[in-house]
Amino acid sequence: MTISPALRVLAWLSFIAEVLIIGTGGAVRLTGSGLGCSEWPLCTPDSLVPTDDLGIHGIIEFGNRTMTGVVGILALAVLLISLFAAGRRRSLVPALLFASAGVVGSVAAYLAAEAIGLSGIVAFSVVLLVACIAGAVHSLKITPVRRDLLSLAWTVLIGVIAQAVVGGSAVLTGLNPFIVGFHYASSLALVCVTAAFLIRMNAAPGDRALAVPRGYAVLVHVTSLVLAATIVFGVLTTGSGPHSGDQYVQRDGFDATLLAHVHSWPGYALFVLALAITVVAWAQRLPTRAWSTAFLAVLVVQIGVGVWQANAALPPLLVGIHMVLAALSAAAYVVVVLRMKAPVGAAIPRAGRVPVTV
């Protein structure tokens, strides 16, 4: 499979767009614009776009929805080019047929649901997601080349569609803090998937094996648990704080001050682990040393911003920066994990290594 310049550019744009949509989503929440558009997928019951009476809040919310379309187009472009590069028309045509059938089926489901008094948009979304998942399964079955890249590309597209539904659910439930928090965490996960695509795109296909000491690999994977805990408590802390997305939205009911302290504990533990990962990587000249350093650097900045925002009564700009930095630190960590393996022929043999087929 040849990686074309177009695929490289679009893959980078997809990653950047996934990071930017976290920023625009943060802007929605931090400016109290979460209900700037009161409906979904329309902005108002009678208009797709915000009306003049919605003011700046409607513009901010609609801007984030527009960004979702950009993210979706880029994800689709990356997938289609990847399919053509991996299997030419044999892989591309079936995917297009699944897409066409999915759109037709979704429209039919929408009309049928509306006719019997149910939510047409829910039926539309469910059928479209099912068609996309079915297309992914079939695509991976018939394309033996670079299934690692194709699975990542399909994941991003399916995730973007699901994210649109989750975002709509957040609006329709009056910005339920748990749905809003899940929406952010899912966006962060898509940043990680697009980052993984960038790394695997430049990696040689075939069997891969551990290229670092097994103990080091265990340390890195333990770090993922602490990273996940830090993100979860961060989401809960934000959901308990003053930035709920709308002044009339009820928070999740937790003590924000207590959660801020609880959030800091795994955050500092994460810093210690990241420091250990970096020091060991440089001491043993492991292939993870560059990206473990990047992970540590982003984490240090993120912690600094976190302490600053806590002492400054959570100004919206700092909170938004902190949210974006969380996504970037998670993406850097994903790269560290992927760098722990190398093609079997290129890696230095280590005791206990087990080749992994991808």
Side-chain angles (χ1 to χ4, degrees):
M1 174 178 171
T2 302
I3 305 299
S4 67
L7 179 57
R8 294 182 187 278
V9 171
L10 287 168
W12 271 105
L13 289 176
S14 181
F15 170 76
I16 293 170
E18 291 290 355
V19 174
L20 287 178
I21 202 171
I22 286 182
T24 60
V28 169
R29 181 168 191 167
L30 298 170
T31 59
S33 304
L35 296 178
C37 288
S38 60
E39 304 296 324
W40 182 83
L42 299 178
C43 186
T44 70
D46 303 314
S47 176
L48 174 64
V49 299
T51 54
D52 292 339
D53 60 306
L54 295 177
I56 187 63
H57 293 307
I59 294 174
I60 293 173
E61 164 65 10
F62 189 74
N64 185 56
R65 295 187 182 191
T66 303
M67 191 65 198
T68 300
V70 174
V71 168
I73 291 171
L74 289 170
L76 179 61
V78 168
L79 174 62
L80 293 179
I81 294 177
S82 299
L83 285 169
F84 185 74
R88 300 296 169 178
R89 294 182 61 184
R90 181 173 180 270
S91 297
L92 182 60
V93 171
L96 293 175
L97 292 176
F98 269 100
S100 300
V103 171
V104 172
S106 298
V107 172
Y110 176 88
L111 295 175
E114 289 290 323
I116 60 176
L118 300 177
S119 173
I121 190 61
V122 171
F124 180 95
S125 303
V126 169
V127 172
L128 187 60
L129 269 175
V130 170
C132 196
I133 293 171
V137 172
H138 182 264
S139 171
L140 294 174
K141 182 178 180 180
I142 67 172
T143 310
V145 178
R146 293 314 302 261
R147 285 176 175 166
D148 57 332
L149 281 184
L150 296 183
S151 61
L152 291 170
W154 275 110
T155 299
V156 175
L157 181 61
I158 293 171
V160 169
I161 297 173
Q163 274 291 75
V165 176
V166 173
S169 300
V171 172
L172 297 177
T173 58
L175 302 184
N176 180 291
F178 296 103
I179 295 179
V180 173
F182 178 75
H183 190 47
Y184 169 76
S186 302
S187 297
L188 187 148
L190 287 178
V191 170
C192 293
V193 176
T194 52
F197 186 94
L198 289 172
I199 297 303
R200 296 297 292 128
M201 178 177 66
N202 295 308
D207 290 348
R208 302 177 67 78
L210 202 60
V212 299
R214 193 166 295 277
Y216 180 84
V218 171
L219 177 64
V220 172
H221 288 303
V222 168
T223 301
S224 68
L225 301 177
V226 181
L227 176 61
T230 305
I231 292 170
V232 168
F233 283 112
V235 169
L236 291 176
T237 301
T238 304
S240 304
H243 304 300
S244 64
D246 186 88
Q247 60 178 327
Y248 299 111
V249 172
Q250 183 177 0
R251 276 63 172 180
D252 57 23
F254 298 113
D255 186 325
T257 303
L258 175 61
L259 273 178
H261 289 292
V262 174
H263 171 49
S264 68
W265 299 338
Y268 292 132
L270 184 62
F271 166 74
V272 172
L273 288 168
L275 181 61
I277 288 171
T278 304
V279 170
V280 173
W282 281 99
Q284 299 190 19
R285 299 187 61 79
L286 301 178
T288 59
R289 56 188 183 275
W291 278 100
S292 62
T293 303
F295 173 49
L296 177 62
V298 176
L299 194 59
V300 167
V301 176
Q302 184 187 359
I303 291 173
V305 171
V307 172
W308 185 7
Q309 72 175 13
N311 292 327
L314 302 177
L317 179 59
L318 290 182
V319 175
I321 293 173
H322 192 61
M323 292 170 63
V324 173
L325 286 172
L328 293 177
S329 62
Y333 169 78
V334 167
V335 180
V336 172
V337 172
L338 294 177
R339 292 292 189 190
M340 290 197 300
K341 290 180 180 178
V344 172
I348 300 173
R350 293 181 182 275
R353 168 175 292 162
V354 178
V356 178
T357 302
V358 294

